[in-house]
Amino acid sequence: MQRKQWQFQGGMQIARIPSVPGLYAWYYRPLARDTRAISKTIASFLEVPGEIKTEIQMRYGIRLVSKSPVNVVYGAERESPIDVLNEVIDYAEQFLVDFLNSDAAYSFTRPIYIGIAKDLYTRVYTQHYLSLDAMWDDNSSVSKYLNLFPHATVQSTMDKLNLYHSFALEARVRKIAPRDLMVHIFPTNSFPSDIGSDYDDPKLETASRRALEKLLQLVSDPICGRR
């Protein structure tokens, strides 16, 4: 009996994903053993852009409002995530590269992105993989914008170019090449009948899809999910 394929990497493989409903999850698995490039990508996963807004209600309608940037630190020594990453590279560089390049990465790391697809082929290959590949074209509006503003965030790119949030845009802004992404799928026929079509615009989601998507975000906490 032929074993079913659940993992796909590279255009030739991803183009063979079946046209069936199911779950999908993208993971970072770099094919090139370039520690510097890998370090930059992982560093982008550890960043927490944004700010914290605090508002205190006072008497007579007065409010105290404060905004401050968010900084992530680890442990009692308050190390930054980048410092932690640099330590690993100093002491266990070969292990890090081998691990990320292995099939075990998806079992031990959070996905970059996770979602539901009424048609896995259309969603994963056409809407995600081919869209990302197109965004890497030098003449694409995203590439042109990132060339002018190399430190642009996903949000600023969305705002400037009037784009919806998508996995392809997340991956392009983080400079992840299509070849360095692996997708894991779980085909199923158990979705509700009103799961609806696959769109990036959350306003077009059905109630059942929205409920399942929210649960996936909470359970899996994808790096580039809808937080």
Side-chain angles (χ1 to χ4, degrees), residues 116-127:
I116 294 167
K118 190 172 184 178
D119 185 316
L120 284 166
Y121 175 85
T122 299
R123 183 64 171 159
V124 174
Y125 180 63
T126 305
Q127 296 180 344

Side-chain angles (χ1 to χ4, degrees), residues 92-103:
E93 176 181 345
Q94 190 60 49
F95 165 78
L96 178 64
V97 174
D98 289 346
F99 168 68
L100 290 175
N101 200 254
S102 72
D103 290 338

